[in-house]
């Protein structure tokens, strides 16, 4: 076999994955609440 084999549909993407974006959003929300920018979460 040659050295130009492709993996089964896996492409490398640049940027953050959906999981990473969720973690970033959660940390940002926690920071805003901790800093007092969002004084009360209505739940």
């Amino acid at each position: 076999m040659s050295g130009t084999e492709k993996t089964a549909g896996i492409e490398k993407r640049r940027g953050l994955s959906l999981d990473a974006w969720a973690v970033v959003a959660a940390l940002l929300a926690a920071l805003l609440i901790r800093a007092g920018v969002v004084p009360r979460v209505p739940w």
Side-chain angles (χ1 to χ4, degrees):
M1 295 194 154
S2 68
T4 58
E5 295 179 20
K6 282 191 172 181
T7 56
I10 299 174
E11 297 178 12
K12 290 187 177 182
R13 293 187 304 165
R14 291 192 169 189
L16 298 177
S17 68
L18 185 59
D19 291 336
W21 280 113
V23 170
V24 169
L27 289 174
L28 181 60
L31 180 65
L32 290 176
I33 292 168
R34 184 81 168 169
V37 176
V38 179
R40 185 178 174 125
V41 179
W43 58 43

